[in-house]
Amino acid sequence: MSLCVFWNRQSSLQSLEQLCSQLKDHQINICKQSLNERFNSNAVEFLKFCFRDFFKKKVSAINYKGTCIGKFSRIRINDSTSIILPEHFSSQYRGCGGGASTAGLKVQYSYNLRGEEDPVLEITNGRTPDSAWKTDPTYPNELRVADLGYFNLSNFSVIQSVKGYYLSRYRFDVKVYISKNGTLEELNLKKIISKMKTGKVIEMNVFLGIDQKLPTRLILEKVPPEVSSAKRRKLKKDKKKKREKISRERLSFCDVNAYITNTKNDMLPAKEVREIYSLRWQIELVFKSWKTIFNIDKVKKIKLERFECFFYGNLILILMLTKLTNIIKEYMWKNGKKELSNWKALVHLRDKSTELFYALLGTEKKLKLWLENISNWLITMCLKEPKKHRKTPQTIISNLGLT
């Protein structure tokens, strides 16, 4: 377990000889044949058990009291990241095929931006759509923020039924209706958008779906020409990669940012919607750190059990270090309004993972000393650098009254 969790920097890319040499540095002598035999189904199940048990204890320990601090009790972000795998893994992890690999997996991730509880994480096949993922329960006065992959009118209805809130981009192909004289009429969005000027924001109370007729707020924001052009280029690139056609109407819809939400205007004014939705990019940075710092997407052609051992070991380490980062981050904000850079902190903690391993094996006093030293270093060296004319995520959350 120590090899797969604490000593696994690029271990899934290393040869068996290199792994044996690495173990020898820790006074463990083993030949490559014996090591290879230890990467078996029992080892995989053990690491899966440790991973799931970690989550079971953490999630069950959450004591949600439902107290509404600020406008929302919490802001929970949902997203996923895909990892392409070697073709010979396709029987266990089915990929999307087409222009992509026939083997792949997807990591579903959900976490509270306030950082006061542990994230929810699940592994699925690469071809499982995000909208089919059953997320953790929504609580009253909670705001759910997700991208178009999770667009599902039935899920939005469930969130609303428990007095929760959602914020999502509007999906172009969903019918929009407006109430006129007691009847519902289909809305011509193309006509409305063509009359909007750059920077203009409008909102309407509408109903979504041919069958569902979900009542919601629709917010439209006309973007500058350079932004709409960039959106079209990205859309064309994505469709080409997936070998899909794209309509003129869909391309013209790139002229606006379109959002839906069931929040009231006094809770979330239309002009603030884009700023709040931008918080979703924090999870993109999380995925980027997984792939850049922890190399979770770097997979060479090895046997399945060896890959799974290192994959689940990596996830255990990531979640452990993320939890430590969040604790220090919350302390810094409450005691000086200083914001910790998650990226800088994780880079440093990843390099110190071997030290953490031996600290955990030592006495309580030794572990406490290590945690104090590492915390002081992070507080001094890993501050987030503010960017001109751009609010940091913690500032946005603070303005919502969530800290």
Side-chain angles (χ1 to χ4, degrees), residues 9 14 50 52 76 116 122-123 134 143 153 157-158 187 211 221 290 324 354 373:
R9 189 178 181 90
Q14 293 178 326
C50 293
R52 292 166 181 165
R76 183 160 282 275
E116 56 188 26
E122 185 179 333
I123 312 301
K134 294 182 180 179
L143 177 64
L153 295 181
S157 181
V158 171
L187 199 62
D211 300 318
E221 177 191 27
W290 290 6
L324 179 57
T354 300
N373 290 336

Side-chain angles (χ1 to χ4, degrees), residues 169-300:
R169 284 192 181 272
Y170 161 73
R171 202 175 74 194
F172 169 75
D173 60 344
V174 175
K175 297 290 185 180
V176 183
Y177 302 89
I178 193 166
S179 179
K180 283 188 177 181
N181 301 321
T183 60
L184 296 181
E185 297 182 4
E186 186 174 348
L187 199 62
N188 188 337
L189 287 179
K190 185 178 179 180
K191 184 177 180 181
I192 294 173
I193 294 170
S194 65
K195 295 180 179 180
M196 293 177 65
K197 295 182 179 180
T198 300
K200 186 176 181 180
V201 178
I202 62 174
E203 68 170 295
M204 297 169 281
N205 292 318
V206 300
F207 299 83
L208 297 182
I210 296 176
D211 300 318
Q212 293 92 337
K213 302 294 191 301
L214 178 75
T216 192
R217 286 170 64 204
L218 174 66
I219 296 98
L220 300 175
E221 177 191 27
K222 190 68 174 287
V223 301
E226 60 271 19
V227 175
S228 61
S229 296
K231 291 173 69 175
R232 288 189 184 92
R233 286 194 298 270
K234 184 178 184 300
L235 182 62
K236 289 177 180 178
K237 183 179 179 180
D238 291 343
K239 292 296 182 180
K240 184 178 180 180
K241 184 178 180 180
K242 297 177 182 178
R243 300 178 183 177
E244 296 176 353
K245 293 182 179 180
I246 183 170
S247 65
R248 291 183 179 179
E249 290 78 9
R250 178 64 187 91
L251 287 172
S252 65
F253 198 70
C254 292
D255 290 333
V256 294
N257 289 326
Y259 308 94
I260 61 166
T261 181
N262 64 328
T263 60
K264 303 297 182 182
N265 184 273
D266 58 345
M267 295 184 71
L268 190 55
K271 291 186 177 181
E272 295 181 12
V273 165
R274 177 164 58 88
E275 187 175 75
I276 303 304
Y277 188 81
S278 70
L279 292 172
R280 193 190 67 80
W281 285 101
Q282 291 306 299
I283 205 167
E284 297 290 346
L285 295 178
V286 169
F287 292 146
K288 186 178 179 181
S289 72
W290 290 6
K291 293 180 178 181
T292 304
I293 301 171
F294 297 93
N295 300 305
I296 201 168
D297 63 329
K298 304 295 189 301
V299 185
K300 71 174 187 178

Side-chain angles (χ1 to χ4, degrees), residues 301-313:
K301 191 174 181 180
I302 55 178
K303 75 175 187 179
L304 178 65
E305 292 81 6
R306 182 172 154 195
F307 157 72
E308 290 182 324
C309 284
F310 282 115
F311 182 75
Y312 282 99

Side-chain angles (χ1 to χ4, degrees), residues 62-75 112 114 116-117 139-143 163 165 400-403:
I62 296 172
N63 182 20
Y64 181 80
K65 298 179 180 178
T67 55
C68 301
I69 304 172
K71 297 179 180 179
F72 303 103
S73 59
R74 62 180 185 175
I75 299 178
N112 179 13
R114 292 178 64 183
E116 56 188 26
E117 57 199 57
Y139 293 101
N141 213 50
E142 169 188 315
L143 177 64
K163 299 182 180 179
Y165 300 99
L400 280 171
L402 279 167
T403 56

